Amino acid sequence: MSRWWPTALERRIALRYLRGQRDTRSASLQTIIAIGSIAVGVTALIVVLGVMNGLRDDLRDKILVGSPHIHVLTFGENLQFDDWRNQLKRIRNFPGVVAAAPEVTSMSIITNSSQYPEGVKVIGLEPGDGMRVVTDIESAMVSGDAHFTVTDPDVRAAVVLGAGLAKRLSVAPGDVVTMVAPPNLRKVNRVLGMPTPEYWRFQVTGTFQTGMYIYDNEFAVMTRAVAQQFAGLDTAVTEIGVRVANAWDAPRVAAGLSAMLGYPYRTEAWQAQNQTLFSALELEKRAMGLVIFFIMIVAAFNIVGTLTMVVAFKTREIGILQAMGLPARGVGRIFLAQGAIVGLVGTTIGLVLGLVIAVVVDRTGAVRIDPSVYFIDHLPVRIEPLDVLVVVVASVAVAVLATILPARRASSLIPVDAIRAE
């Protein structure tokens, strides 16, 4: 069986050819260009893939701060979950479920003391389990607390606001806000012939900041019992929030819960709620990776040009080496070694640069973006070992494959003709 890897002598010759000589400096310059092209391609690929992974992971984490892994809902016009206590026991005993708690969701209008209005999404959570286990809102508190303790006797209950919403309303813990109760908007006053709104006064006991724009700018959180009264649901809820051991396993558990509960209940995993967003991120990651990969294809042409020039400049020396006993396969292995050296050096430089840039950008938050558009305020970078491995293998493989044509040309030289070459 013939060997395919270069010997020590062949590697030394390969290095010598890549360095060039005084009268053939162009070969050395082409080597530098080829190495630089690969380094730039590897750096760009690592950073871009890291940015796409960072966006995906950061969005996932921020989404799950204010939202459970799975929502258990019902069909119907009013979407009320009446038999939630019996179903809650079954859900909690289902394999893969870590925690479950009832939730109430409704919409309203909130105003501050100056009657400045804002649209708000009212979330009613179970104190304890609903705040700490099913969601992580309590861990995102930036002022006050989530104990919902009222100190003002003139208010109905306590509420916790998103930091962005609180800022727009110019309120802080201890201040009072007013919200319109949804049931009265559906009831028409017989005398006036129009709905008569009922206003609830709430004391703000805390604010939270998840980093997720939609939560921080729209959410008003209260206890489940208060939210039931506020939404006019009596003892019913609108959904049950479920947290599982592995967030990425939520679709499988959701399908199992749906099959167990049956009609009229349905489930929705967090991936399904944000499917368009994450599908777009994955598509963009693949597209950008493919586009930047062409940088390394350009580097491959540089390698072909470099080695072709080496063959042209070193034709006589190749003939002498063959006359001294170096086999044709050995000549081919010299050029294989050159491609491998260029690929390894360029990949190593690109790998180091890519990792350094990724760490600096991620830790310093140097690249700021508009949170109202991208949901986050800076560009996160997450490096995944599998992505790095694929990039490294692909770049070295491109460099080695680029040596095939020059290697075949060099190994096909006839020693006598090569020695006679000027």
Side-chain angles (χ1 to χ4, degrees):
M1 183 177 179
S2 60
R3 59 184 298 156
W4 58 270
W5 62 91
T7 63
L9 174 62
E10 292 163 356
R11 290 195 296 270
R12 289 182 63 185
I13 296 173
L15 285 170
R16 186 68 188 85
Y17 283 177
L18 287 175
R19 285 198 300 267
Q21 296 177 344
R22 291 183 180 178
D23 58 343
T24 57
R25 297 303 297 173
S26 57
S28 178
L29 177 61
Q30 288 294 326
T31 299
I32 295 173
I33 293 174
I35 291 175
S37 299
I38 291 180
V40 170
V42 171
T43 301
L45 267 177
I46 289 177
V47 172
V48 167
L49 294 179
V51 167
M52 301 310 299
N53 292 333
L55 288 172
R56 180 200 62 198
D57 293 347
D58 208 61
L59 285 172
R60 176 202 63 193
D61 295 341
K62 285 178 169 57
I63 286 170
L64 296 180
V65 167
S67 176
H69 295 160
I70 301 171
H71 288 278
V72 180
L73 308 162
T74 63
F75 292 101
E77 293 182 359
N78 56 16
L79 302 179
Q80 289 186 195
F81 208 130
D82 297 307
D83 188 31
W84 62 269
R85 287 182 175 85
N86 292 331
Q87 304 304 330
L88 182 62
K89 296 178 182 178
R90 300 176 64 192
I91 293 171
R92 285 175 172 170
N93 293 327
F94 191 82
V97 173
V98 173
E103 295 184 8
V104 175
T105 302
S106 61
M107 302 297 295
S108 183
I109 297 175
I110 186 171
T111 61
N112 57 13
S113 58
S114 299
Q115 303 304 311
Y116 173 76
E118 284 281 349
V120 64
K121 186 173 184 178
V122 180
I123 308 295
L125 299 177
E126 195 76 18
D129 287 348
M131 292 291 291
R132 292 191 295 269
V133 180
V134 177
T135 66
D136 290 329
I137 287 181
E138 190 171 8
S139 66
M141 298 297 297
V142 292
S143 64
D145 57 54
H147 298 158
F148 301 101
T149 302
V150 175
T151 58
D152 188 337
D154 296 328
V155 300
R156 297 282 294 266
V159 68
V160 174
L161 302 180
L165 178 61
K167 183 178 180 180
R168 293 201 307 276
L169 294 171
S170 298
V171 297
D175 292 340
V176 175
V177 294
T178 304
M179 283 191 276
V180 182
N184 293 80
L185 297 178
R186 299 191 295 266
K187 298 178 181 178
V188 178
N189 186 292
R190 293 183 178 180
V191 177
L192 300 177
M194 62 181 64
T196 303
E198 179 185 359
Y199 298 97
W200 284 44
R201 286 164 52 85
F202 292 89
Q203 183 177 10
V204 179
T205 60
T207 61
F208 60 86
Q209 186 167 8
T210 64
M212 189 70 175
Y213 183 82
I214 190 172
Y215 297 157
D216 298 339
N217 286 268
E218 295 184 8
F219 274 23
V221 181
M222 58 186 70
T223 63
R224 186 257 304 171
V226 172
Q228 285 174 316
Q229 297 177 31
F230 180 73
L233 296 177
D234 194 16
T235 60
V237 298
T238 57
E239 59 202 73
I240 292 179
V242 179
R243 183 167 288 266
V244 298
N246 183 0
W248 295 109
D249 200 31
R252 183 189 63 81
V253 178
L257 285 173
S258 182
M260 178 191 72
L261 297 174
Y263 186 84
Y265 305 108
R266 59 189 176 92
T267 59
E268 190 174 57
W270 67 273
Q271 291 98 325
Q273 293 178 309
N274 304 275
Q275 183 177 5
T276 302
L277 176 62
F278 284 94
S279 297
L281 285 175
E282 185 63 26
L283 178 61
E284 188 174 357
K285 175 183 176 181
R286 294 181 181 181
M288 294 182 69
L290 180 62
V291 169
I292 296 177
F293 181 73
F294 284 107
I295 295 177
M296 289 187 289
I297 301 298
V298 173
F301 284 103
N302 287 330
I303 294 173
V304 172
T306 299
L307 299 185
T308 301
M309 292 179 66
V310 171
V311 173
F313 287 132
K314 304 294 184 180
T315 299
R316 187 170 184 177
E317 294 182 18
I318 293 172
I320 294 173
L321 288 173
Q322 288 180 313
M324 294 174 64
L326 183 66
R329 289 182 178 274
V331 174
R333 288 194 294 265
I334 290 174
F335 289 89
L336 174 66
Q338 291 184 69
I341 292 169
V342 170
L344 288 172
V345 173
T347 300
T348 302
I349 295 173
L351 177 62
V352 173
L353 287 176
L355 294 177
V356 169
I357 293 174
V359 171
V360 170
V361 171
D362 184 55
R363 292 187 178 179
T364 62
V367 182
R368 312 300 295 184
I369 55 181
D370 186 357
S372 64
V373 177
Y374 299 100
F375 304 103
I376 51 179
D377 57 3
H378 70 281
L379 198 64
V381 184
R382 300 288 186 276
I383 300 299
E384 293 188 354
L386 181 59
D387 288 341
V388 174
L389 179 62
V390 170
V391 170
V392 169
V393 171
S395 60
V396 174
V398 166
V400 172
L401 290 174
T403 65
I404 293 177
L405 185 61
R408 292 186 61 181
R409 180 180 176 185
S411 61
S412 63
L413 292 175
I414 300 174
V416 174
D417 295 338
I419 293 173
R420 287 177 179 173
E422 292 294 335

